[in-house]
Amino acid sequence: MNEPKLPFEDAWRDTLTDHEPQPKAGDWAGMEKLLRQDASPARSRIIEDPLNPTGQRPTPSLPSWWVILALLVAGLVYFFLSQLDEESHQLHSEQSFPLIVPEESVPVFRYDTLYLVDETGALTSQIFAIDTAVQYVTPTPTLLPIPDTSVTVPIDSADLPKSYRLDQKLILDPLPTLRTRFLPTDAILLERRMESLRQSGRLNIQLVPNNGYFPRYREGF
Amino acid sequence: MSALPTKSDLLNACRRGDRRAQAAFYQEYFPKLLPICLRYLRNREESVAVLNQAMLRIFQSLDQYREDNKLDAWLATLTRRTVLNFIRDEGRARRRFQPEDYQPPVSVANRAPGDLNAADILKLLHALPDYLRVVFSMAAIDGYSHAEIAHALEITETASRWRLSKARELLRGHYLSANHRNNFLS
């Protein structure tokens, strides 16, 4: 693509060169405004110079420095106060509640596969259970009460008993049998069923730790 | 009766910041410098705004001017440089806001293109997209080479050639369409 030179370009150049548009009133007004804006910083320098004849840097204006300094001080005070408040809050919480030491990881077992065997021990069938029985072994949290060392009670040795006598009846009586006060859940029923199967020698349970995945489906034989 | 102030007196007064001298300088050189802005930029308002920036730069740089009777060329160079800086800062040398074949309606006098007056020529130039008008003005009016245009606008020489060619094609189309409309109306 190569458009040749237009035949009238030279004439246009001459016409545009001779063209001299005259300025309007507003044009100079805009120029004057620009000149005023440009001159104002120079004038302020001229006014400042006699006040500071040594050529040193002028003293910074008072409000700006004091505002910055005050903000810095306020920030530091707020920071230290928040730190103190946090420490006192931690002390208070430690004294008010016993320490709770839970287990970090809770083992979870999933009953994945049920193997049924006959009297000879040969495998007769295999049942794949997907997410039917899950046993969560939840340990009891260990409660460690903090001994209150702030109060010291003087103990008189005369108040201590010389010997302890236990009631013979309490010693000889058998302990009462504990009874469960709740209905067995489905998981408990399943556990009992599998326990009976295990007792009869027909059950071989493979415990698969729950690693986050469902057991993969396997074809029976 | 005091003698008329010479150009040197005027320049010295402007260097001192004499506002009346600056106004006189502005009135004298405005007609010579505004056409430079007009053929690069979109309209008169924008051209005057950029020319005022150039004038401010001229007043600030008058101390650097050595009086060697080439004041007009020095002023034109400063003005053209200010305009090109403005175009470059605005990114106009690269942006394409409208389709290349878009032809806005232009109304010019029904006469041969070589006989058009300056106002009509500027109408046709202003109908061009920015990135084409700048290259056409630099090459066809101000006589820049493609290497100089490429350097000034930060484009390749091939792009400069293509833009000049495209601008010529569009100018021809604008002129013909305007004349056809005028013939149709008359």
Side-chain angles (χ1 to χ4, degrees), chain B residues 57-100:
Chain B
R57 196 171 161 193
I58 287 167
F59 288 137
Q60 291 168 342
S61 311
L62 272 180
D63 288 334
Q64 301 167 13
Y65 170 66
R66 294 177 182 175
E67 298 186 22
D68 51 1
N69 294 324
K70 293 180 181 172
L71 180 63
D72 289 5
W74 185 71
L75 294 177
T77 303
L78 268 181
T79 304
R80 201 174 289 118
R81 205 172 288 165
T82 306
V83 173
L84 289 177
N85 281 342
F86 174 79
I87 289 169
R88 201 164 39 228
D89 291 346
E90 292 270 304
R92 291 188 187 178
R94 293 180 178 277
R95 271 187 246 157
R96 303 181 179 192
F97 292 109
Q98 59 199 43
E100 287 160 4

Side-chain angles (χ1 to χ4, degrees), chain A residues 1 3 9 12-13 27 38, chain B residues 44 60 113 140 165 168-169:
Chain A
M1 184 179 181
E3 187 78 8
E9 280 180 19
W12 281 18
R13 185 187 306 118
D27 299 338
D38 181 60
Chain B
R44 190 183 188 279
Q60 291 168 342
S165 180
R168 283 170 172 159
E169 180 191 341

Side-chain angles (χ1 to χ4, degrees), chain A residues 1-13 15-17 19-24 26-28 30-32 34-36 38-39, chain B residues 19 22-23 26-27 30-31 34-35 44 48 52-53 55-56 59-60 113-114 116-118 121 124 136 140-141 162 165-166 168-169 172:
Chain A
M1 184 179 181
N2 191 11
E3 187 78 8
K5 180 181 174 181
L6 298 175
F8 43 83
E9 280 180 19
D10 293 335
W12 281 18
R13 185 187 306 118
T15 307
L16 288 177
T17 306
H19 177 54
E20 291 193 350
Q22 294 303 310
K24 299 175 184 174
D27 299 338
W28 169 246
M31 185 69 227
E32 206 170 13
L34 265 183
L35 286 169
R36 269 200 305 272
D38 181 60
Chain B
R19 192 55 53 85
Q22 287 173 336
Y26 187 85
Q27 297 290 335
F30 181 96
L34 184 65
R44 190 183 188 279
V48 170
N52 285 350
Q53 291 288 341
M55 281 282 190
L56 182 65
F59 288 137
Q60 291 168 342
L116 291 176
N117 60 22
I121 295 171
L124 290 171
F136 180 82
I141 309 296
W162 182 88
S165 180
K166 188 70 184 172
R168 283 170 172 159
E169 180 191 341
R172 191 192 302 274

